[in-house]
Amino acid sequence: ADSIGVSMMTVGIAIAVIVLGAVITFILKSSSQERAMPKVELHPLQMKFMEDKEQEYCMGSDKGKGIRCIIDYMRESNSEHVTEILSEKPKYSDGFAAKDVFSVHLHEGQVDFLAQQGVKIGDGEGPEKFQAVNRAFRCMLDYAMRTEAEGDTEKIKGMFETVRCLNC
């Protein structure tokens, strides 16, 4: 290394910085991945609606893609429409089935968007950690279910069929 004007000490420091950077990146990525995998609790009819939409519009995607589609739809909507969706009157207050609980992967931009709307993943453990997120997901699905029941196929297609690259 000395023949090119770089000391072994400089090479050692450079390698240490690279390793440290890789470790920090791994830790940050792991914590954001954990933060972005909320456990979702839906009513069986909400689950069926979501699965039907995923089968129709998102074949080959993992469970929860329907929720991610609605979040990205909201990210492109005006604030009044986002408030309308997140304020949807709950259609179901009980009857949530343990078999319908699953983890959904959210992209960091989706988590950040929800947090800007006041929907945050809690700090604790257990069901309380995802209480606000679950409430929001159920509002989104109830809104979509009502929209479909009202016959607004264009809006449903806008939610589920339009391909958005907000997380690419």
Side-chain angles (χ1 to χ4, degrees):
D2 275 330
S3 65
I4 59 170
V6 179
S7 72
M8 290 304 284
M9 177 92 133
T10 304
V11 171
I13 290 172
I15 291 173
V17 167
I18 291 170
V19 170
L20 183 61
V23 168
I24 290 172
T25 300
F26 176 76
I27 291 170
L28 291 176
K29 194 174 237 181
S30 296
S31 67
S32 76
Q33 291 264 337
E34 180 182 318
R35 165 180 96 130
M37 290 287 290
K39 292 206 180 313
V40 181
E41 185 178 8
L42 300 177
H43 185 276
L45 293 176
Q46 291 169 320
M47 179 68 79
K48 179 171 179 4
F49 176 84
M50 183 187 72
E51 289 173 341
D52 288 349
K53 294 300 162 228
E54 289 173 353
Q55 186 163 3
E56 184 175 353
Y57 296 107
C58 320
M59 280 299 288
S61 295
D62 60 332
K63 188 180 251 184
K65 174 68 174 175
I67 290 172
R68 292 193 305 274
C69 287
I70 298 172
I71 294 170
D72 288 343
Y73 166 80
M74 292 183 349
R75 289 170 71 186
E76 291 188 338
S77 298
N78 64 46
S79 61
E80 292 81 18
H81 190 49
V82 171
T83 300
E84 175 188 10
I85 294 169
L86 293 176
S87 300
E88 182 75 13
K89 186 178 187 302
K91 190 169 183 174
Y92 307 102
S93 57
D94 58 10
F96 303 107
K99 70 177 181 65
D100 291 328
V101 175
F102 65 98
S103 292
V104 63
H105 171 76
L106 296 179
H107 299 282
E108 194 166 337
Q110 293 169 324
V111 173
D112 293 343
F113 171 79
L114 290 172
Q116 291 167 4
Q117 310 311 311
V119 179
K120 298 179 181 175
I121 296 173
D123 294 328
E125 290 301 318
E128 300 81 33
K129 181 172 184 167
F130 303 114
Q131 188 173 7
V133 175
N134 271 295
R135 190 175 323 115
F137 290 166
R138 290 191 294 268
C139 286
M140 290 176 215
L141 289 167
D142 286 345
Y143 175 83
M145 291 168 75
R146 180 177 59 81
T147 300
E148 183 175 76
E150 291 171 353
D152 195 340
T153 55
E154 289 306 308
K155 196 174 278 184
I156 290 295
K157 284 181 179 181
M159 282 182 224
F160 297 103
E161 188 175 65
T162 302
V163 176
R164 297 172 172 85
C165 288
L166 301 177
N167 308 300
C168 301

